[in-house]
Amino acid sequence: MVMDVLESALQLKCCLRDTHRKRLEILADSKVMILQEVNEPFLNMAVSKAATLLGAYDVNIIDNLVWEEDYMGRIFSYMADAIFVATTTHMCVQRFAEQSSVPVLCMRSRTHASIQSLATIMSTIEEFGSLQNVNFAYYGSPHPVLNSYLLLCPMLGANIRFKCCCQKCPVSPLLFKASEDITSKTNTELKECLSKEQVLKDAGVIIAGPTNVKKVDEFKLCVADIEAHTKCKWLFFHTIPRGSEVDDSLFNHENSRTFDAFENFQYIAAALMCYVIKDHKF
């Protein structure tokens, strides 16, 4: 499914580079629900834009839902053709999906950041053609998107190294073991690093984590750091929000693809909608 969605999103972008004031009728009269426990503005707009582009209608609900109730997924699915969820937990999404009679997609949870990670990988494929043997480096505070990269990178043939904590406060990502299992089957590399030098070594894709005011000095990153440790073509992405740990020269560098990835949110959301509602690929 992952490659189907990525290929579909890439094809849609190729055919429709500018989505402003455009409307297709692929999902005409469908209802897409955006159900959020906490407001995620970028994801919210991406899914809303995708729904409008495809001829569907969207409704956005932000509420502190009682996810444990068995009837929640069943009732919401009476009134929608697909439900995109953002929550601070993850198991509740699984329970909600089991109760629902329509597709439920997790935009963001404590465990995953699916749309953001897929959008970044889409941008990488646009540059490199594929993820085969590409070295990813995640450098920054822990974030759900790291868990998604830990699964997607080895699944698609890429290697990944990361540093998300210091030696005094070790933190292992929730899906580290699952990533190990995939890497063993795909002959890819997974490595938790203790230094900036280790994580940046020969990296082709460098991803900065979200800013953390308590760890600005620990995760400082600039162009010189990257160029000192990798000799290959490299791309830079920032998870956002950005703080002073990444300077302007890197954030706005010609190799930075942060804004490309955020633009791709809408294409990934559109590809997901078409896939789960109508089994359609562009």
Side-chain angles (χ1 to χ4, degrees):
M1 175 184 175
V2 172
M3 277 309 303
D4 286 335
V5 169
L6 286 167
E7 289 171 356
S8 185
L10 286 162
Q11 182 62 28
L12 174 59
K13 186 174 181 180
C14 183
C15 297
L16 201 62
R17 186 63 183 81
D18 181 3
T19 62
H20 290 95
R21 298 179 299 281
K22 301 294 194 307
R23 188 175 178 90
L24 309 176
E25 295 299 328
I26 297 170
L27 298 181
D29 300 324
S30 296
K31 172 70 79 174
V32 174
M33 179 179 290
I34 305 169
L35 188 58
Q36 301 176 92
E37 187 176 2
V38 290
N39 191 22
E40 294 284 351
F42 296 140
L43 292 171
N44 187 348
M45 276 305 302
V47 174
S48 178
K49 174 65 175 177
T52 303
L53 175 67
L54 298 173
Y57 300 94
D58 67 281
V59 59
N60 184 7
I61 298 174
I62 302 174
D63 195 9
N64 187 18
L65 297 169
V66 183
W67 296 98
E68 289 77 11
E69 299 293 351
D70 291 340
Y71 52 76
M72 296 292 285
R74 182 173 179 179
I75 292 176
F76 278 121
S77 62
Y78 288 146
M79 296 166 273
D81 298 296
I83 303 172
F84 284 76
V85 176
T87 176
T88 54
T89 60
H90 188 76
M91 291 302 296
C92 64
V93 180
Q94 292 179 312
R95 290 196 298 271
F96 185 90
E98 289 168 0
Q99 301 157 12
S100 175
S101 58
V102 300
V104 175
L105 298 99
C106 180
M107 300 189 297
R108 167 82 182 271
S109 71
R110 178 171 175 259
T111 310
H112 290 288
S114 306
I115 290 178
Q116 183 165 10
S117 57
L118 285 168
T120 301
I121 285 175
M122 177 179 168
S123 295
T124 303
I125 293 174
E126 288 179 293
E127 293 284 342
F128 293 119
S130 78
L131 259 64
Q132 285 294 323
N133 302 313
V134 175
N135 295 326
F136 277 68
Y138 179 93
Y139 186 67
S141 295
H143 187 279
V145 77
L146 173 57
N147 280 316
S148 295
Y149 292 135
L150 289 177
L151 298 185
L152 291 169
C153 285
M155 192 184 300
L156 299 173
N159 307 307
I160 182 165
R161 298 180 180 185
F162 66 93
K163 182 185 186 304
C164 62
C165 62
C166 63
Q167 290 178 302
K168 294 180 180 178
C169 302
V171 176
S172 287
L174 290 172
L175 298 183
F176 183 81
K177 182 62 174 66
S179 183
E180 278 189 322
D181 292 341
I182 299 173
T183 55
S184 67
K185 296 173 183 176
T186 57
N187 295 315
T188 52
E189 181 191 40
L190 164 68
K191 185 174 182 179
E192 185 170 10
C193 300
L194 299 177
S195 69
K196 181 190 300 185
E197 293 74 22
Q198 284 182 323
V199 78
L200 292 178
K201 182 176 172 55
D202 298 326
V205 176
I206 298 94
I207 301 166
T211 188
N212 183 330
V213 293
K214 296 180 180 179
K215 297 189 175 185
V216 168
D217 291 334
E218 181 181 347
F219 291 117
K220 275 195 175 297
L221 191 62
C222 64
V223 174
D225 292 326
I226 296 172
E227 292 184 341
H229 297 98
T230 184
K231 304 304 180 186
C232 60
K233 175 183 177 180
W234 58 271
L235 304 176
F236 172 77
F237 297 91
H238 201 294
T239 304
I240 303 294
R242 172 204 174 197
S244 59
E245 73 286 343
V246 170
D247 62 18
D248 288 345
S249 63
L250 176 54
F251 190 75
N252 298 314
H253 193 274
E254 63 180 359
N255 290 9
S256 177
R257 297 293 182 271
T258 299
F259 293 111
D260 294 321
F262 277 92
E263 181 186 15
N264 285 342
F265 275 32
Q266 62 182 313
Y267 295 107
I268 292 294
L272 283 167
M273 274 181 215
C274 286
Y275 189 88
V276 300
I277 295 177
K278 277 202 169 179
D279 195 24
H280 175 87
K281 283 181 63 179
F282 292 100

